[in-house]
Amino acid sequence: MTSSKIALILRQCRLLGHDNLVDIAIQDGAIEAIAPQLESLASQELAVNGKLVSPPFVESHIHLDSALTVGQPRWNQSGTLFEGIDIWRDRKQSLSLEDVKTRAITTLKLQAQQGVLFVRTHADVSEANLTALKALLEVREAVRDWLTVQVVAFPQDGVYGSPGNEARLEEALKLGADAVGGIPHYEMTREDGVQSVHRIFELAQRYDRLIDIHCDEIDDDQARFLEVVAACAIRSGLGDRVTASHTTAFGSYNNAYALKLMGLLERARINFIANPLINITLQGRTDTYPKRRGVTRVKELWQRGLNVSLGNDCVQDPWYSLGTGNMLAVASMAVHVCQMTGQSEIDACYGMVTTHGARTLKVEDHYGLAVGKPANLVVLDADSPYEAIRHSATVTHVISRGKLLAQTQPATTTWLGTDV
Ligand code: FE2
């Protein structure tokens, strides 16, 4: 390595799994060296001063097509999934390419400045013109230089919920969607739900795409489509190319069935995505008290060595009126709702918004802090994942493809009260 060729060096970085602080050299968009004290000179240097440097956050599950539409045309008064679907059905009649693209890119910028550089978004393909899908495919290309987007073809109203949905799902794959989605618990009958899962696997195999199914996002303890997804994953051999999103009913199953299901899931080796920020508000709406938490068995899946990642799901839309796209907020909610307050459990929740997410999206070859990998990394105003989650640390620097993409100053407070 010659001193003249280094574009950027980050000094005194704290990396997970390293005892000592290290310098990171970045050249031509890739990590060129990681060592305790690099003697090389650089065109640009960044003094990290012992703060945590992490691989970027991964947004495993979001709906960019509906983001930032809260209140349009009306607010979700019941707070249920079903009223949200009804409101979105009205709103999506007026979608245009520009409408979706503008809101999606605004949301992606919001996420990127908070350290998110990998995003899996669902695109509703139930709408007649596939506007959301076409817009999000354009967005994927428009942001490619600074952020990686995957698009899931998602039939929000069900594969068999209305005529044309099944054909549009396939058309979406021909247009270039990265993954096939579904919503079996929302199909009209259990039989339709099972059939939809089989159809999704057929399409994934025919077009060589990933699978990410909204699965059992309901408090009904009889919603049992996860077992169908797991069985299809085993029989097809698709394994970790398959993801089950939400699976909130898993939190309502009796333990005897849950134990049987866990064995099946261990064989299937599929990925799981929980969305605790939204599901703690969306689920349990028909309960009195005690009121269920409505989140899947994140801790137990993680304890079994299965891959779990986390998502925001929604940012200001018919299902969730709040949200800023921040992944540390998601991790913090998982710590609380899933009761993962042990030290290793808090670290695991940080993993679920970083490395585990990369595994779900199958982008591991391009992800992580190692020599030769693309230089995608974030600097946090914290010295550990625990501190990052505890005080929602500011992401002070976001480096994407070797270039500084965003910079944020942590808030500072001046104490003006009496000294005691
Ligand atoms: Fe979702």
Side-chain angles (χ1 to χ4, degrees):
M1 185 167 64
T2 59
S3 58
S4 59
K5 60 183 279 202
I6 298 303
L8 172 64
I9 293 184
L10 282 70
R11 299 287 186 192
Q12 295 205 296
C13 309
R14 188 178 303 280
L15 303 190
L16 293 174
H18 286 242
D19 292 334
N20 301 315
L21 301 183
V22 295
D23 295 347
I24 301 175
I26 293 170
Q27 181 67 29
D28 297 328
I31 297 175
E32 173 124 338
I34 300 176
Q37 272 187 315
L38 289 170
E39 292 182 2
S40 312
L41 296 174
S43 309
Q44 190 181 5
E45 293 215 3
L46 190 61
V48 175
N49 297 325
K51 297 295 186 185
L52 182 63
V53 176
S54 166
F57 295 116
V58 178
E59 171 58 86
S60 295
H61 186 123
I62 195 167
H63 296 255
L64 290 174
D65 51 0
S66 58
L68 310 181
T69 63
V70 65
Q72 302 172 8
R74 61 190 181 279
W75 202 270
N76 185 337
Q77 297 295 345
S78 68
T80 60
L81 172 77
F82 302 107
E83 184 174 347
I85 292 174
D86 287 343
I87 294 169
W88 176 240
R89 189 174 291 123
D90 292 342
R91 175 61 175 82
K92 70 189 177 191
Q93 305 311 317
S94 62
L95 290 181
S96 69
L97 287 175
E98 279 314 304
D99 170 34
V100 177
K101 284 162 62 178
T102 301
R103 288 184 288 98
I105 288 176
T106 301
T107 307
L108 288 175
K109 283 183 177 169
L110 184 63
Q111 291 209 281
Q113 71 193 39
Q114 298 177 93
V116 178
L117 292 180
F118 293 85
V119 173
R120 176 178 285 180
T121 180
H122 294 257
D124 185 1
V125 296
S126 306
E127 173 266 327
N129 301 311
L130 287 176
T131 307
L133 186 275
K134 289 171 185 169
L136 292 182
L137 290 177
E138 285 187 31
V139 168
R140 182 181 69 185
E141 300 312 309
V143 304
R144 187 178 283 282
D145 288 346
W146 50 276
L147 185 141
T148 300
V149 171
Q150 286 182 354
V151 179
V152 184
F154 172 51
Q156 174 75 76
D157 298 338
V159 177
Y160 305 111
S162 56
N165 283 358
E166 186 181 12
R168 277 191 289 272
L169 182 59
E170 184 163 5
E171 177 64 16
L173 301 180
K174 290 177 183 168
L175 289 171
D178 300 282
V180 198
I183 185 165
H185 56 279
Y186 189 68
E187 299 286 352
M188 284 189 277
T189 65
R190 173 179 164 72
E191 288 73 18
D192 282 358
V194 172
Q195 194 180 331
S196 75
V197 173
H198 288 292
R199 183 72 180 128
I200 289 160
F201 272 78
E202 280 170 20
L203 289 169
Q205 288 183 299
R206 183 179 308 162
Y207 291 91
D208 190 24
R209 304 298 156 85
L210 301 171
I211 292 173
D212 190 333
I213 299 176
H214 281 63
C215 190
D216 300 325
E217 189 186 7
I218 190 168
D219 292 324
D220 177 10
D221 63 356
Q222 296 300 310
R224 302 283 170 92
F225 295 105
L226 180 53
E227 65 181 19
V228 182
V229 171
C232 287
I234 292 168
R235 290 177 182 141
S236 65
L238 289 182
D240 67 0
R241 291 176 63 79
V242 179
T243 296
S245 279
H246 294 287
T247 64
T248 58
F250 200 176
S252 294
Y253 297 156
N254 65 71
N255 283 338
Y257 175 68
L259 181 65
K260 177 237 177 184
L261 181 61
M262 272 296 186
L264 189 63
L265 299 175
E266 284 182 317
R267 283 178 62 196
R269 309 308 297 179
I270 62 174
N271 306 296
F272 298 86
I273 299 172
N275 301 289
L277 267 182
I278 180 169
N279 282 125
I280 192 66
T281 70
L282 209 57
Q283 308 308 131
R285 292 281 179 165
T286 58
D287 291 356
T288 54
Y289 290 92
K291 193 180 277 289
R292 284 170 287 180
R293 292 167 188 242
V295 177
T296 196
R297 299 191 187 205
V298 171
K299 187 197 289 196
E300 292 75 13
L301 289 164
W302 167 71
Q303 286 172 335
R304 297 269 184 150
L306 296 169
N307 188 47
V308 184
S309 57
L310 303 173
N312 273 283
D313 198 11
C314 299
V315 176
Q316 290 194 293
D317 73 4
W319 295 275
Y320 186 61
S321 52
L322 304 163
T324 64
N326 185 300
M327 296 310 300
L328 287 172
V330 177
S332 177
M333 185 56 81
V335 167
H336 290 81
V337 176
C338 307
Q339 299 187 324
M340 295 186 68
T341 50
Q343 280 181 315
S344 64
E345 292 169 352
I346 292 174
D347 287 349
C349 289
Y350 188 84
M352 290 176 195
V353 294
T354 52
T355 51
H356 296 212
R359 216 169 128 191
T360 301
L361 269 61
K362 295 192 74 67
V363 294
E364 289 166 295
D365 289 350
H366 313 288
Y367 185 89
L369 301 187
V371 173
K373 296 260 188 179
N376 299 314
L377 50 91
V378 298
V379 182
L380 290 124
D381 184 29
D383 57 14
S384 67
Y386 161 62
E387 282 299 330
I389 290 175
R390 188 182 71 82
H391 70 91
S392 297
T394 300
V395 176
T396 58
H397 300 83
V398 180
I399 294 171
S400 171
R401 283 61 162 160
K403 293 180 185 155
L404 201 51
L405 182 69
Q407 232 171 300
T408 304
Q409 290 289 333
T412 56
T413 302
T414 304
W415 176 252
L416 300 174
T418 310
D419 283 333
V420 290

